[in-house]
Amino acid sequence: MKRYLIYIYVLAGGLLAAACTQEEEAAQPATATGHLLVLPIDIETAVDVQPLKRSVDDGLQVDLLQGSTTVRTYAPGDAALDQPLTLPVGNYTLYAHTPDMNEAADNVQGTPTYSVRQDFQIQADETTTLRLEATQSNVGILLDYSDELFGTAFTSIACTLTSPSTGRSVTIEGTDNTAPTYFNLPADGRLEYTISATNTDGETFTSPVREITTDTPKNYLIQIDWAE
């Protein structure tokens, strides 16, 4: 009889514990959520010196962060961004950017990168709408050989661009390469360049190292004149 009573007691205790757990779960409120609507993110290409071209991928990756932690990532063209996103209530940062923000390798001219960062807040049962514009994040260098002498008196010519802060170097051969060469914005703002040329008599000339100051991400024009 005692064994029977003990058995019933333990069983009842188990049922009681389960009932309490269910009541506690029912008492806990569901996580409050709100919505984020991201309107199409334009890429701003207007700059002071030279017009920019769109990034090669022609699209932006979208990361949602809380503090330094990325909580969601959307690839360029992800259809999910066409509709409001449901997010738990809280503070976030949206970071839209060219998927590959790394600087190109030596002797690779690279491509422009674009980005925009915006803090926002999600409130319960409300929709937060963001309208953003991504701007260029790196520096483009264009070369202009304005002296006609380069086309008649020289058999070869090259410009070597160097970023002292990273050590990256790119040599641009010839005078008809009109594509910009892209560098991450140097920490000290300095880029260096030298010109090497061989004339029709086989004589080789190398200019002194010159500097160009890049204070903001945009395209810069270097006008090269042999008289300098």
Side-chain angles (χ1 to χ4, degrees), residues 21-205:
T21 300
Q22 292 175 353
E23 289 177 0
E24 290 174 358
E25 290 178 350
Q28 293 177 354
T31 302
T33 61
H35 304 285
L36 171 67
L37 177 61
V38 183
L39 299 180
I41 301 176
D42 296 326
I43 296 179
E44 173 57 56
T45 59
V47 294
D48 295 335
V49 180
Q50 290 289 328
L52 300 173
K53 296 180 180 179
R54 281 178 175 266
S55 178
V56 171
D57 55 77
D58 199 24
L60 299 174
Q61 175 178 315
V62 174
D63 298 329
L64 300 183
L65 301 90
Q66 285 193 300
S68 60
T69 302
T70 301
V71 295
R72 292 191 190 179
T73 294
Y74 299 91
D78 193 325
L81 295 172
D82 296 336
Q83 304 295 328
L85 306 174
T86 300
L87 294 169
V89 167
N91 296 315
Y92 297 84
T93 300
L94 183 147
Y95 175 42
H97 58 93
T98 301
D100 185 1
M101 296 290 286
N102 294 317
E103 190 170 52
D106 285 348
N107 288 321
V108 177
Q109 288 186 255
T111 57
T113 58
Y114 301 94
S115 66
V116 61
R117 188 182 293 267
Q118 178 65 54
D119 296 333
F120 66 95
Q121 185 178 53
I122 292 295
Q123 298 180 337
D125 301 321
E126 293 187 10
T127 297
T128 299
T129 302
L130 296 182
R131 181 185 293 276
L132 304 173
E133 188 172 63
T135 57
Q136 186 174 348
S137 303
N138 56 4
V139 169
I141 304 296
L142 299 100
L143 305 178
D144 177 27
Y145 292 90
S146 54
D147 195 329
E148 294 182 359
L149 186 66
F150 289 119
T152 59
F154 293 89
T155 58
S156 66
I157 187 167
C159 176
T160 299
L161 298 163
T162 303
S163 174
S165 63
T166 64
R168 175 169 168 251
S169 179
V170 182
T171 297
I172 310 300
E173 302 280 353
T175 60
D176 57 352
N177 188 334
T178 59
T181 300
Y182 292 94
F183 290 85
N184 286 353
L185 184 66
D188 58 2
R190 294 188 306 115
L191 291 175
E192 296 178 345
Y193 67 97
T194 58
I195 307 297
S196 299
T198 301
N199 65 16
T200 54
D201 294 327
E203 298 174 309
T204 298
F205 303 89

